[in-house]
Amino acid sequence: YQSLSSESATVQEDVAIIKLTKRIERSSNTDWICLPTMIHIQDQDRLKVVSYSNIDDNLIQQQLDIRVLNNDENKTECQRQLGDIAEDAFCAISTNHTSVLGRGDSGAGSMLFSSNSRWHLAGVMSKTGLQKSYSAMTNVSRHIGWLTSLVER
């Protein structure tokens, strides 16, 4: 992990794994998510984010949709909004007009629903832009070798 030295700094390798002491049981509110071993994020993919935003010192759970902006046409605006974007990250924009990512959302996962009817962890929220509708997400598939080596231990 390389931290922010300023608001416009590049965040790199912003991903972590937590080892639990017991198994999490699946329920209507809790489920597992697949690592993206066969999934690659494409421009205009629609992802889902569930997070706890800190709005006026209140934690608000929200679910929102984001769209990946990973083409030359959008890169200029993404860089204007976010500053430098790490090589292991992608830019996304909220498609919900009433919900945006912000303070308290760092670390929130973005999920892609695949053709095999499973949710895959696509990205991890690293930072938001000048307009909070823009965000930089660490691309989890870029770290899959490291993550699977830890899981297999």
Side-chain angles (χ1 to χ4, degrees), residues 55 99 108:
I55 299 170
S99 299

Side-chain angles (χ1 to χ4, degrees), residues 4 11 25-26 33 35 39 47 75 94 105 119 148 151:
L4 288 170
V11 179
E25 297 301 322
R26 298 171 88 174
I33 191 165
L35 289 175
I39 302 296
L47 309 174
K75 281 188 180 177
S94 172
D105 290 326
W119 287 104
T148 54
V151 172

Side-chain angles (χ1 to χ4, degrees), residues 55-86:
I55 299 170
D56 298 326
D57 293 326
N58 293 312
L59 286 179
I60 311 252
Q61 184 181 14
Q62 64 176 354
Q63 176 178 313
L64 65 148
D65 298 316
I66 62 173
R67 184 170 38 91
V68 175
L69 301 176
N70 198 22
N71 63 45
D72 291 337
E73 183 179 322
N74 293 314
K75 281 188 180 177
T76 302
E77 183 60 18
C78 288
Q79 288 186 333
R80 189 179 79 74
Q81 291 290 326
L82 296 161
D84 287 334
I85 301 170

Side-chain angles (χ1 to χ4, degrees), residues 133-150:
S133 56
Y134 285 84
S135 60
M137 298 273 176
T138 298
N139 189 336
V140 176
S141 66
R142 300 281 300 266
H143 299 278
I144 198 66
W146 175 73
L147 290 166
T148 54
S149 74
L150 293 176

Side-chain angles (χ1 to χ4, degrees), residues 2-99:
Q2 295 178 8
S3 66
L4 288 170
S5 57
S6 70
E7 282 298 315
S8 63
T10 303
V11 179
Q12 295 182 41
E13 301 171 352
D14 191 9
V15 65
I17 192 165
I18 299 170
K19 184 175 182 178
L20 303 174
T21 58
K22 64 180 186 175
R23 182 182 181 94
I24 299 292
E25 297 301 322
R26 298 171 88 174
S27 72
S28 60
N29 295 322
T30 308
D31 203 354
W32 307 328
I33 191 165
C34 299
L35 289 175
T37 55
M38 303 300 280
I39 302 296
H40 298 286
I41 303 306
Q42 303 292 323
D43 182 48
Q44 303 301 312
D45 276 350
R46 295 200 178 264
L47 309 174
K48 185 80 65 185
V49 177
V50 177
S51 69
Y52 286 91
S53 282
N54 189 340
I55 299 170
D56 298 326
D57 293 326
N58 293 312
L59 286 179
I60 311 252
Q61 184 181 14
Q62 64 176 354
Q63 176 178 313
L64 65 148
D65 298 316
I66 62 173
R67 184 170 38 91
V68 175
L69 301 176
N70 198 22
N71 63 45
D72 291 337
E73 183 179 322
N74 293 314
K75 281 188 180 177
T76 302
E77 183 60 18
C78 288
Q79 288 186 333
R80 189 179 79 74
Q81 291 290 326
L82 296 161
D84 287 334
I85 301 170
E87 289 182 25
D88 68 337
F90 60 86
C91 177
I93 188 169
S94 172
T95 60
N96 302 51
H97 298 291
T98 58
S99 299

